[in-house]
């Protein structure tokens, strides 16, 4: 089987997280069943990573419950409308590779990150310009428990310390795009105010951020 007939890692991430349309899922399962060792290894690895991150959040659950219980019994000190911080954990970090024709969402190069945060998962793809600190970011937020939910109009911000580097709103598909100049200690924050949370994702593994921090 030649190199061009494989699926990109991002597809397998979506596969593992059950985010794909049934037809595509069946095709990809057939590819595995046909005996592709390379994709099988990638799938096994991603399953381990995703399962590990699920176990991790289970371990954290009692602590989270205790914190919520304390918050309930504490006198109203925080102003109404304050959002609870929901930390995301990185479950995938990879660099794009040439993709087969017809595979959607494929990127010719650039870095991809995927995070889990509570019921949400957030995919981020970044593409830096050569000889420049300008970075283009595209991402999508999905509710894993309700993938059909449209997470539209959510405030999305890139922050460094207390400074907002770039901000936008998600579109009707929960997608967003941002352009910015690479800085250190970058975090991506997405407000889901009807759930009372602000998703907080550390972008410390971004290649551009690392390069910048060495200057
Ligand atoms: Zn393959």
């Amino acid at each position: 089987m030649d190199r061009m007939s494989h699926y990109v890692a991002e597809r397998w991430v979506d596969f593992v997280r059950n985010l794909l349309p049934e037809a595509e899922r069946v095709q990809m399962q057939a590819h595995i069943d046909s005996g592709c060792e390379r994709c099988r290894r990638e799938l096994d690895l991603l399953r381990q990573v995703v399962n590990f991150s699920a176990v991790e959040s289970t371990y954290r659950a009692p602590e989270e419950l205790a914190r919520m219980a304390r918050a309930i019994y504490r006198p109203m000190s925080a102003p109404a409308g304050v959002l609870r911080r929901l930390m995301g954990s990185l479950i995938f970090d990879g660099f794009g590779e040439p993709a087969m024709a017809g595979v959607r969402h494929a990127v010719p190069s650039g870095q991809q990150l995927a995070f889990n945060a509570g019921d949400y998962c957030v995919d981020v793809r970044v593409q830096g310009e050569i000889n420049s600190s300008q970075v283009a970011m595209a991402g999508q937020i999905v509710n894993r428990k309700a993938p059909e939910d449209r997470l539209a109009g959510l405030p999305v911000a890139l922050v460094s310390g207390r400074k907002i580097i770039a901000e936008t709103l998600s579109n009707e598909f929960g997608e967003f795009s941002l352009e910015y100049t690479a800085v250190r200690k970058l975090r991506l924050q997405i407000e889901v105010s009807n759930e009372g949370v602000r998703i907080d994702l550390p972008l410390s593994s971004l290649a551009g951020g690392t390069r910048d921090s060495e200057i």
Side-chain angles (χ1 to χ4, degrees):
M1 185 171 288
D2 70 33
R3 193 175 68 82
M4 295 305 286
S5 57
H6 302 290
Y7 290 90
V8 292
E10 188 193 14
R11 298 282 80 198
W12 290 120
V13 173
D14 288 351
F15 182 92
V16 168
R17 290 187 294 166
N18 263 326
L19 295 177
L20 294 175
E22 182 61 16
E24 194 170 352
R25 227 193 75 81
V26 166
Q27 269 186 4
M28 291 173 73
Q29 185 61 55
H31 180 74
I32 291 291
D33 293 343
S34 78
C36 177
E37 267 307 306
R38 177 182 151 169
C39 288
R40 154 86 62 188
R41 277 198 302 273
E42 183 143 70
L43 179 58
D44 285 347
L45 176 68
L46 287 170
R47 278 206 171 111
Q48 284 169 26
V49 172
V50 168
N51 287 341
F52 175 75
S53 110
V55 168
E56 239 190 350
S57 44
T58 307
Y59 286 154
R60 265 201 298 271
E63 188 191 319
E64 182 84 345
L65 286 175
R67 208 175 57 78
M68 282 167 67
R70 283 196 298 273
I72 289 166
Y73 290 110
R74 193 191 306 143
M76 295 277 283
S77 54
V82 164
L83 300 176
R84 184 170 61 89
R85 188 186 198 197
L86 183 58
M87 288 297 295
S89 51
L90 184 67
I91 60 158
F92 178 76
D93 179 1
F95 288 86
E97 53 181 286
M100 63 187 277
V103 173
R104 291 176 303 120
H105 309 304
V107 283
S109 64
Q111 194 174 0
Q112 292 168 214
L113 303 175
F115 296 88
N116 276 349
D119 291 344
Y120 302 95
C121 55
V122 180
D123 287 317
V124 172
R125 295 179 290 284
V126 291
Q127 186 81 59
E129 282 177 29
I130 294 163
N131 298 327
S132 157
S133 53
Q134 281 301 113
V135 182
M137 169 181 290
Q140 185 174 27
I141 176 170
V142 176
N143 185 335
R144 281 177 294 158
K145 293 246 172 93
E148 305 312 313
D149 272 13
R150 299 286 185 220
L151 298 172
L154 304 182
V156 178
L158 276 172
V159 300
S160 176
R162 289 174 174 273
K163 195 176 169 201
I164 293 174
I165 304 300
E167 53 189 335
T168 186
L169 295 175
S170 62
N171 71 9
E172 57 179 316
F173 304 108
E175 298 167 334
F176 54 89
S177 60
L178 293 160
E179 286 189 18
Y180 61 97
T181 304
V183 289
R184 297 185 249 191
K185 293 180 181 161
L186 206 53
R187 317 182 68 81
L188 182 65
Q189 297 184 336
I190 305 175
E191 291 183 13
V192 191
S193 46
N194 62 342
E195 297 292 332
V197 296
R198 176 184 290 116
I199 295 168
D200 195 332
L201 309 172
L203 299 179
S204 42
S205 58
L206 277 188
T210 309
R211 196 171 55 236
D212 191 58
S213 66
E214 288 164 1
I215 292 170

